[in-house]
């Protein structure tokens, strides 16, 4: 007899009285993730006695750029034909559709602008800002879990989830239609994202690797995007054009980040060895 989990979670956490406005778990996860990221980076800033005005400006830059970049990434990477023909729909972020690769590009652009404006090294900023990003990404994947979306292929593994395929039934009074037991790829990704942030925290607080330019950033890129690359093999494609591709869009977009991660990790380790050798001499 097959063992699996039947997932019946409602994407709506609660409805605000009087205005009948739905608050979804996805939005809560997004807000909690950024709040947690802010708290961790704030602790790092205080630990190093850095300019707090920089942190406030940087947080604003990152929030706006991550959201805009994630939305544009989804629209232009996965369904450019539709959104270029219906540009007003790009603004309908409440309908869903955010891409982590687009969010990453947005953050990189924001930090580049911030670095130019405040005359600080971009890698210096990245080595600190990326430390909690894995936690943020994991919470967003839990939001996807609550939305019954972005899950994997059918499987007979005992931790398989049966997701509701017509999730809007809850608010239309229809009977739920469950899909086959499938890989809960949202949880796979969330696990690796949390692991990546834990490693980055350890590198920052215990090993003081923020002293070696690009090292933490490089490890972050490898941890996030290499895990994303492999989890994609278990995940259903998001758009029909990906069905006949050897590697899907998520994997193709991950490759440049993995290569960059390897380069920055190598560069940071080389700098670390050099500094340690000089200290020992």
């Amino acid at each position: 007899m097959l063992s699996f989990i039947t997932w019946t979670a409602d994407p709506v956490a609660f409805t605000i009285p009087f205005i009948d406005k739905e608050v979804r778990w996805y939005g809560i996860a997004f807000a909690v993730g950024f709040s947690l990221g802010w708290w961790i980076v704030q602790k790092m800033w205080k630990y190093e006695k850095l300019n707090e005005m920089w942190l406030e400006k940087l947080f604003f830059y990152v929030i706006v750029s991550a959201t805009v970049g994630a939305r544009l990434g989804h629209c232009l990477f996965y369904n450019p034909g539709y959104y270029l023909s219906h540009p007003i729909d790009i603004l309908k972020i409440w309908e869903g559709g955010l891409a982590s690769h687009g969010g990453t590009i947005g953050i990189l652009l924001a930090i580049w602008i911030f670095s130019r404006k405040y005359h600080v090294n971009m890698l210096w900023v990245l080595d600190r800002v990326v430390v909690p990003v894995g936690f943020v990404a994991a919470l967003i994947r839990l939001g996807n879990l609550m939305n019954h979306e972005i899950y994997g292929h059918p499987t007979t593994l005992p931790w398989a989830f049966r997701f509701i395929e017509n999730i809007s039934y809850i608010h239309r009074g229809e009977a739920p239609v469950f899909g086959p037991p499938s890989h809960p790829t949202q949880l796979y990704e969330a696990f690796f994202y949390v692991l990546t942030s834990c490693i980055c925290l350890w590198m920052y607080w215990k090993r003081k690797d923020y002293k070696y330019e690009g090292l933490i950033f490089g490890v972050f890129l490898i941890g996030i995007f290499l895990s994303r690359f492999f989890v994609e093999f278990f995940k259903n494609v998001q758009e029909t054009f990906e069905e006949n591709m050897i590697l899907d869009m998520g994997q193709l977009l991950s490759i440049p980040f993995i290569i960059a991660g390897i380069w920055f990790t190598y560069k940071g380790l080389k700098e670390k060895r050099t500094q340690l050798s000089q200290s020992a001499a």
Side-chain angles (χ1 to χ4, degrees), residues 212 266-281:
Y212 313 110
Y266 166 77
K267 181 175 176 293
L269 288 173
K270 184 178 180 181
E271 180 182 341
K272 183 175 183 177
R273 285 194 297 268
T274 300
Q275 289 190 27
L276 292 176
S277 297
Q278 291 173 348
S279 299

Side-chain angles (χ1 to χ4, degrees), residues 153-167:
H153 306 310
T155 179
T156 57
L157 291 170
W159 56 80
F161 275 52
R162 291 181 70 213
F163 293 98
I164 299 173
E165 295 184 331
N166 62 331
I167 190 58

Side-chain angles (χ1 to χ4, degrees), residues 31-244:
V32 170
F34 275 105
S35 298
L36 177 62
W38 161 263
W39 180 77
I40 292 173
V41 174
Q42 192 176 41
K43 291 289 184 183
M44 296 161 62
W45 235 251
K46 288 181 178 179
Y47 174 71
E48 294 187 64
K49 298 181 174 60
L50 302 173
N51 188 332
E52 292 207 16
M53 183 272 290
W54 285 1
L55 179 58
E56 294 173 2
K57 298 290 185 182
L58 180 61
F59 185 71
F60 174 77
Y61 278 43
V62 168
I63 286 285
V64 174
S65 63
T67 305
V68 173
R71 180 58 177 167
L72 288 177
H74 170 78
C75 297
L76 300 180
F77 293 152
Y78 290 96
N79 203 351
Y82 173 81
Y83 285 105
L84 291 176
S85 300
H86 305 81
I88 195 67
D89 286 354
I90 295 175
L91 302 176
K92 298 178 180 179
I93 193 169
W94 57 89
E95 293 184 352
L98 298 173
S100 56
H101 298 90
T104 303
I105 294 171
I107 291 172
L108 291 173
L109 179 60
I111 292 177
W112 177 76
I113 295 171
F114 173 86
S115 301
R116 295 274 300 232
K117 184 174 181 178
Y118 294 99
H119 308 290
V120 293
N121 186 289
M122 185 174 176
L123 280 177
W124 180 91
V125 180
L126 285 168
D127 281 331
R128 288 152 178 82
V129 169
V130 299
V131 170
V133 170
F135 295 130
V136 182
L139 281 162
I140 291 173
R141 280 294 176 253
L142 294 181
N144 295 135
L145 181 74
M146 299 303 291
N147 280 347
H148 298 249
E149 62 187 4
I150 314 182
Y151 52 89
H153 306 310
T155 179
T156 57
L157 291 170
W159 56 80
F161 275 52
R162 291 181 70 213
F163 293 98
I164 299 173
E165 295 184 331
N166 62 331
I167 190 58
S168 58
Y169 91 94
I170 293 175
H171 307 289
R172 296 205 310 259
E174 299 176 11
V177 176
F178 288 95
S182 303
H183 286 283
T185 48
Q186 312 97 322
L187 296 179
Y188 298 173
E189 287 189 60
F191 170 78
F192 287 113
Y193 294 165
V194 168
L195 179 62
T196 298
S197 268
C198 287
I199 292 171
C200 289
L201 279 171
W202 173 70
M203 292 176 68
Y204 180 87
W205 290 107
K206 296 298 182 182
R207 295 176 63 86
K208 315 298 182 188
D209 283 336
Y210 58 82
K211 298 177 181 179
Y212 313 110
E213 191 175 275
L215 180 53
I216 294 177
F217 178 53
V219 170
F220 163 80
L221 289 177
I222 294 172
I224 294 293
F225 291 103
L226 189 61
S227 61
R228 172 71 185 271
F229 183 89
F230 285 112
V231 171
E232 288 289 323
F233 284 115
F234 301 94
K235 191 188 297 184
N236 292 327
V237 297
Q238 294 189 49
E239 300 293 339
T240 55
F241 74 84
E242 298 177 281
E243 290 177 355
N244 296 319

